[in-house]
Amino acid sequence: MLAVGRAIRRIHTTVDAPRLTRFALHPPKSVEVGFADGSIFNLSAEFLRVHSPAVDSKIRSIGGEKVISGRRHVGIMSAEPVGNYGVRIVFDDLHKTGIYSWDYFYELGSNKFTFMRNYIKTLKKHGLTRDPRRRK
């Protein structure tokens, strides 16, 4: 985590998002990010997992929509710095290919409620749920 802290101090993001000032990993449940404009966002593991910037085999495409279901209880195992622009989050469902840029964290945080509302609507539309499947 010290490497992430050092990376934060060197980061200056694009004009679209303020400079990142804080990154705190609270495994297994959330990540907290703070920005120079005073914005602080607490982003849950489920929220980050379903909004992963990576494409992987656990995503279902239904009618052209990206749909990830059953991730209510997913956890964060670790976060690894990637260059000077973001982190790779490793989830306990073994998803680890998404690189979250500082700008993307700002976008997610700024639009968290809209993104989550749309996610839940999409799940309902396709008869899916946030809860994982029960094993038989």
Side-chain angles (χ1 to χ4, degrees):
M1 285 318 298
L2 291 175
V4 171
R6 285 191 300 270
I8 290 170
R9 287 187 287 278
R10 291 190 307 257
I11 299 299
H12 291 280
T13 59
T14 65
V15 285
D16 295 337
R19 184 178 54 83
L20 182 79
T21 57
R22 175 175 168 72
F23 178 91
L25 181 63
H26 302 290
K29 295 295 177 193
S30 67
V31 166
E32 182 181 299
V33 288
F35 293 88
D37 68 352
S39 298
I40 298 172
F41 305 115
N42 190 328
L43 306 172
S44 73
E46 177 191 14
F47 181 76
L48 291 169
R49 176 62 181 91
V50 299
H51 291 93
S52 172
V55 176
D56 73 359
S57 61
K58 295 180 182 175
I59 296 173
R60 290 173 51 179
S61 180
I62 303 173
E65 290 181 286
K66 171 181 157 181
V67 182
I68 302 173
S69 62
R71 297 296 186 265
R72 183 187 301 263
H73 304 296
V74 72
I76 297 170
M77 295 189 338
S78 65
E80 305 160 354
V82 177
N84 290 334
Y85 62 89
V87 295
R88 177 185 331 276
I89 297 177
V90 179
F91 296 91
D92 62 9
D93 68 354
L94 305 182
H95 176 75
K96 61 181 178 181
T97 58
I99 297 173
Y100 296 78
S101 70
W102 309 134
D103 289 349
Y104 189 53
F105 276 124
Y106 191 81
E107 179 185 352
L108 288 174
S110 298
N111 299 291
K112 179 168 85 170
F113 297 107
T114 300
F115 285 161
M116 198 64 183
R117 184 179 59 238
N118 290 342
Y119 168 63
I120 292 168
K121 281 182 183 178
T122 300
L123 289 177
K124 285 182 181 180
K125 178 173 135 182
H126 297 293
L128 300 170
T129 178
R130 294 170 59 199
D131 295 312
R133 286 189 198 169
R134 292 182 180 229
R135 296 185 184 229
K136 296 180 182 184

